[in-house]
Amino acid sequence: MPSTKKNIVIIGGGLCGLKVATELSKKLKQTPETSKHYRLVVVNDTNVHVYHSDLYEIASAYNEKITQACLTALEDSVCIKITDVAKKSGFTFYRDRVTTIDTETKKITLKKRETLDYEYLVVAVGSVTNYYNIPGIEDHSFPLKELTDALTINCHLDQLFQERAEKKNDEKVCIAIGGGGATGIEFSCELIGFLNKLSKKYSFSRKDVDLSIIDGGYEFLKLGKKPNQIVKKRLKKLGIKPMQGTYIKGYENGNLILEDKKTKKTSTQKNDVLIWTGGIKANPLLQSFSKLNKYGELDVNEMLECTAYPNIFAGGDNATITHPKTGEFIPKTGQFAAQEGKIIAYNIWADINKQYKKQFKPLLKGYLVPLGGKRYMFIRGNIVFSGIIPFLMKKVLDIMYFNWYMPLTTAVTRIFTKEKIFVQND
Ligand SMILES: Cc1cc2nc3c(=O)[nH]c(=O)nc-3n(C[C@H](O)[C@H](O)[C@H](O)COP(=O)(O)OP(=O)(O)OC[C@H]3O[C@@H](n4cnc5c(N)ncnc54)[C@H](O)[C@@H]3O)c2cc1C
């Protein structure tokens, strides 16, 4: 018999969506009389919730031999199974891909199942890699956005070194990272250790390996002058070539086409591997909505309700959210996505129970940027420092994050297990 309950559907089991699901499950249990009329459903295209902030470690994790077992261990270290969370929290989970959203009929279409009605909808599908239509880049680069991207980069680099070593010629291996934001910086700094290990593994001359990081602007991370200086010093120490004020204009026959921002002069740079960390854009699923803003994203009010669509909430990377005091855009990062998830959960519960909704008040806890091994940098306004303290802060935050979805002992064991894997390249 079909269920008479109304569906609260959350699309996306990422940092925002899974937070909404767990928080809302808890809240609904507090008000059984009203909640009995609703069913909470999470739809995610995979069974895993990915903790993105460690993906750079996966892409550069060293393995003596790449086996299915070590790839599974890598996956387990950054992923949480949504089925486990669903079982514990009591929501329904569909491992499926949403293909369209119809706001008129209040139905979403799924790839494997047919359609799903909703009373409330949460859109938290994240973002996708932006190649800015630069000729040749999408076809000749590796993104670092999803778990599969990180595993692909890892296996590809191992294979490349093996092939080059077998060729026994003096040709250099030229690797470039395109984009000097947090992902590009953390990955390049960690990659050095991996390249050292690969060179040793395949008896390849380390001096024949070039690593550069290319950015169109003059400030890595875009978090101020001091973080930029610390990063530049660190890159220099690690032997990574920083190329600022340089645009990547294309990829042609094994070469990057570069343009100097000031002089507009073009040049070419040999390239064997380009890792693209240049930016993100709206998830194509948002095309289902006829009313999107100029960024192709959903506009929301201070309660995180879509301004153009009643009963639809949006958070995380697919929503444009402004700071209630400064009017600035909220950065698209995990720390805010999770905070947004919490407010969305509360506000759906409040709507069902005819309570006042809460305003989203973002809290910036600071940025922790890995700079290779156990060296991290902490940035919060004018407070900027680097060393092992931020590394320890990150581990505490990791434990707190995983503890939200699993018991504390499991979260702590997990952090120690993954640390053992991650230090192999240090
Ligand atoms: C490499 C990397 C490192 C990062 N490091 C940090 C960091 O250190 N700190 C930080 O704060 N932020 C970090 N971020 C940013 C952070 O991960 C994102 O801002 C955050 O994940 C956004 O949350 P979200 O819920 O919007 O999207 P996501 O967490 O990406 O979740 C979206 C979910 O939707 C699913 N999905 C997408 N399309 C569909 C569909 N059509 N049907 C069904 N399911 C779908 C996806 O599988 C995914 O599970 C990093 C990002 C990357 C890529």
Side-chain angles (χ1 to χ4, degrees):
M1 213 174 75
S3 168
T4 51
K5 290 187 179 188
K6 296 171 190 167
N7 289 325
I8 304 168
V9 178
I10 302 167
I11 316 177
L15 271 84
C16 177
L18 205 59
K19 192 73 171 181
V20 181
T22 48
E23 282 279 346
L24 188 51
S25 294
K26 269 208 256 170
K27 294 287 303 169
L28 291 175
K29 281 175 197 155
Q30 292 167 7
T31 48
E33 261 317 295
T34 43
S35 304
K36 69 182 180 202
H37 305 294
Y38 293 90
R39 182 174 76 128
L40 183 56
V41 187
V42 173
V43 187
N44 196 74
D45 50 2
T46 63
N47 181 27
V48 289
H49 165 87
V50 182
Y51 189 58
H52 288 95
S53 79
D54 279 339
L55 280 187
Y56 77 100
E57 290 274 17
I58 303 301
S60 59
Y62 177 72
N63 289 291
E64 199 53 48
K65 203 166 171 213
I66 295 186
T67 59
Q68 189 49 51
C70 74
L71 294 179
T72 307
L74 283 176
E75 177 173 338
D76 286 348
S77 67
V78 288
C79 293
I80 296 170
K81 286 201 171 60
I82 302 178
T83 36
D84 291 347
V85 182
K87 211 163 142 193
K88 195 172 145 217
S89 294
F91 59 81
T92 304
F93 171 54
Y94 286 170
R95 180 181 175 171
D96 211 331
R97 189 164 186 81
V98 178
T99 49
T100 54
I101 300 163
D102 188 333
T103 55
E104 293 291 313
T105 58
K106 293 173 105 182
K107 280 183 198 302
I108 61 169
T109 314
L110 305 170
K111 200 173 167 194
K112 287 191 268 171
R113 293 165 183 84
E114 285 184 354
T115 56
L116 192 58
D117 296 324
Y118 66 81
E119 181 64 19
Y120 291 94
L121 182 68
V122 179
V123 187
V125 287
S127 52
V128 295
T129 300
N130 195 350
Y131 298 95
Y132 305 99
N133 294 323
I134 305 172
I137 297 302
E138 186 165 355
D139 291 340
H140 294 99
S141 70
F142 294 85
L144 180 51
K145 181 81 176 75
E146 304 300 335
L147 172 72
T148 45
D149 299 337
L151 293 171
T152 305
I153 292 170
N154 191 309
C155 296
H156 179 79
L157 287 172
D158 190 287
Q159 203 178 348
L160 177 79
F161 272 73
Q162 186 177 7
E163 283 167 10
R164 285 294 168 87
E166 281 166 7
K167 270 193 191 166
K168 287 197 183 348
N169 61 17
D170 295 337
E171 219 186 315
K172 277 196 170 218
V173 172
C174 300
I175 303 168
I177 315 281
T183 303
I185 294 298
E186 65 196 22
F187 180 57
S188 57
C189 292
E190 194 66 24
L191 184 58
I192 279 293
F194 185 43
L195 298 179
N196 292 342
K197 290 272 169 146
L198 285 178
S199 303
K200 215 167 162 191
K201 178 174 170 183
Y202 293 111
S203 308
F204 191 87
S205 166
R206 176 64 184 83
K207 67 174 175 25
D208 290 332
V209 183
D210 267 358
L211 177 60
S212 53
I213 177 155
I214 306 170
D215 194 89
Y218 292 102
E219 193 179 278
F220 287 130
L221 299 175
K222 297 203 171 48
L223 291 172
K225 275 187 189 155
K226 197 168 172 197
N228 177 50
Q229 280 163 1
I230 292 176
V231 166
K232 277 171 55 175
K233 206 170 148 194
R234 181 71 177 156
L235 293 174
K236 208 171 157 194
K237 189 164 181 219
L238 293 171
I240 303 163
K241 190 175 167 193
M243 296 172 67
Q244 293 184 299
T246 309
Y247 290 120
I248 297 178
K249 286 284 178 180
Y251 184 99
E252 237 175 63
N253 305 323
N255 289 299
L256 291 175
I257 319 288
L258 305 175
E259 185 188 272
D260 186 280
K261 189 177 179 176
K262 273 189 193 143
T263 63
K264 304 276 176 241
K265 264 192 181 168
T266 55
S267 59
T268 58
Q269 176 171 304
K270 181 182 177 302
N271 182 263
D272 297 297
V273 184
L274 173 66
I275 316 290
W276 184 252
T277 57
I280 53 170
K281 64 177 181 183
N283 187 307
L285 180 65
L286 297 198
Q287 296 302 322
S288 293
F289 295 96
S290 54
K291 291 172 196 149
L292 294 172
N293 62 26
K294 62 177 175 181
Y295 311 106
E297 296 170 353
L298 289 160
D299 272 327
V300 292
N301 61 19
E302 61 276 26
M303 263 75 82
L304 306 184
E305 298 161 301
C306 289
T307 47
Y309 301 100
N311 282 20
I312 301 185
F313 291 75
D317 285 3
N318 60 199
T320 303
I321 305 172
T322 45
H323 194 290
K325 282 194 184 141
T326 64
E328 286 172 9
F329 290 144
I330 303 294
K332 298 198 183 307
T333 64
Q335 60 173 308
F336 290 117
Q339 291 176 33
E340 289 150 21
K342 205 169 166 185
I343 290 295
I344 293 173
Y346 184 89
N347 286 343
I348 293 177
W349 174 85
D351 205 67
I352 291 171
N353 289 283
K354 312 219 173 333
Q355 303 281 322
Y356 286 115
K357 290 177 199 153
K358 279 186 187 169
Q359 267 192 4
F360 175 56
K361 292 188 181 131
L363 174 69
L364 176 64
K365 297 168 188 160
Y367 297 97
L368 284 162
V369 184
L371 296 176
K374 291 187 175 52
R375 178 168 283 270
Y376 273 56
M377 173 164 52
F378 175 78
I379 308 150
R380 190 178 172 188
N382 292 330
I383 308 166
V384 182
F385 58 92
S386 65
I388 194 156
I389 305 279
F391 165 80
L392 297 172
M393 288 161 75
K394 173 72 166 55
K395 295 302 130 186
V396 173
L397 286 177
D398 283 0
I399 292 171
M400 285 164 68
Y401 187 81
F402 281 95
N403 182 217
W404 181 256
Y405 297 110
M406 59 187 70
L408 182 63
T409 44
T410 319
V412 173
T413 317
R414 225 183 140 108
I415 301 300
F416 281 108
T417 315
K418 71 177 185 175
E419 265 319 294
K420 260 198 221 161
I421 303 174
F422 295 168
V423 295
Q424 308 274 334
N425 65 6
D426 287 351

